[in-house]
Amino acid sequence: MRAVTQIARLLDANHGYAAARAHVGDAKPSRRLAVLTCMDARIDVFAVLGLHLGEAHVLRNAGGRVTDDVLRSLALSTHVLGVDTVVVMQHTKCGLAGVTDDELREHTGADLGFFPIDDHAGALREDLTILSETPYLDPVQLIAGFVYDVESGEIDDVVRWERPAPAGA
Ligand SMILES: [Zn+2]
C-alpha cells in the first residue's frame, strides 16, 4: 500500500509539472558544464550553484566520486555534448566520509569498492587527477573541486585544475 502511495504522489506531481514546465530544446548544456556531486538528499544542485534547466549535466552517486560510470558519462558530455568544464562537489556530513571500504562491505553485504572519503581535499585531488589524466577527456579545459557545507549552504573552493596551454602557444 505504501509503495502505491509513494508512486501515486510522483505521478500526481507530474500532472502539474507537465502543464507548467520550461521547455529546453537543445540537449547540449548551454554553459558547457558538468557537475559531479553526491546523491545526498540535502543537496539541491541547481539552487546551490545558481543553475537553470538546460545549462549543465548533473552526475550523482554516493560521495560524488569519479567512478568508471562517471568517466563513461563524461566521455559523452565532452565529445558529444560540448562540455569543457567539470565541477566535482563533495559535501560535509557525507555518509562516505570517515568510513572504510571494509565497514561499508560489511554493512551492505555488497562486495564493492565504495570510494570512501578520508579527507575531502585529498579525495578531491585524487579525483581531479583521474579526470585530468584520462586521455579521452581531452576536451576538458577546467576542473574545480568544491566542498558544499550542508549546514551553512556555503561552498569551500578547494582545488582547481586548468589544462596547460599547448607548447609554443
Ligand atoms: Zn554524500
Side-chain angles (χ1 to χ4, degrees):
M1 199 60 201
R2 185 171 174 276
V4 173
T5 308
Q6 178 78 283
I7 302 304
R9 275 180 67 186
L10 300 175
L11 294 172
D12 272 356
N14 175 255
H15 292 315
Y17 174 75
R21 80 195 170 113
H23 175 71
V24 176
D26 193 354
K28 289 186 175 171
S30 62
R31 288 174 64 171
R32 305 173 72 93
L33 172 70
V35 180
L36 166 64
T37 194
C38 185
M39 65 188 186
D40 195 291
R42 296 167 289 188
I43 305 172
D44 182 346
V45 183
F46 281 81
V48 166
L49 297 170
L51 294 169
H52 298 98
L53 194 67
E55 291 184 338
H57 283 158
V58 177
L59 314 177
R60 303 188 73 159
N61 63 28
R65 299 304 310 271
V66 174
T67 62
D68 284 350
D69 196 61
V70 165
L71 294 174
R72 177 184 72 92
S73 295
L74 288 176
L76 297 169
S77 287
T78 55
H79 287 279
V80 181
L81 293 158
V83 163
D84 63 11
T85 302
V86 179
V87 168
V88 181
M89 188 167 78
Q90 296 180 6
H91 68 99
T92 60
K93 312 275 179 192
C94 186
L96 269 276
V99 289
T100 66
D101 255 336
D102 283 344
E103 287 166 350
L104 293 171
R105 284 180 191 132
E106 187 172 333
H107 205 74
T108 60
D111 186 21
L112 299 170
F114 284 92
F115 300 83
I117 296 164
D118 235 1
D119 76 291
H120 287 294
L124 284 169
R125 283 201 181 85
E126 222 173 82
D127 282 354
L128 261 65
T129 299
I130 296 170
L131 294 174
S132 64
E133 292 182 356
T134 296
Y136 57 78
L137 293 184
D138 55 315
V140 174
Q141 300 303 311
L142 177 65
I143 313 173
F146 295 162
V147 179
Y148 173 69
D149 186 322
V150 294
E151 288 164 310
S152 73
E154 288 170 358
I155 282 171
D156 191 2
D157 180 5
V158 178
V159 57
R160 298 282 178 90
W161 175 86
E162 227 174 317
R163 187 170 299 284

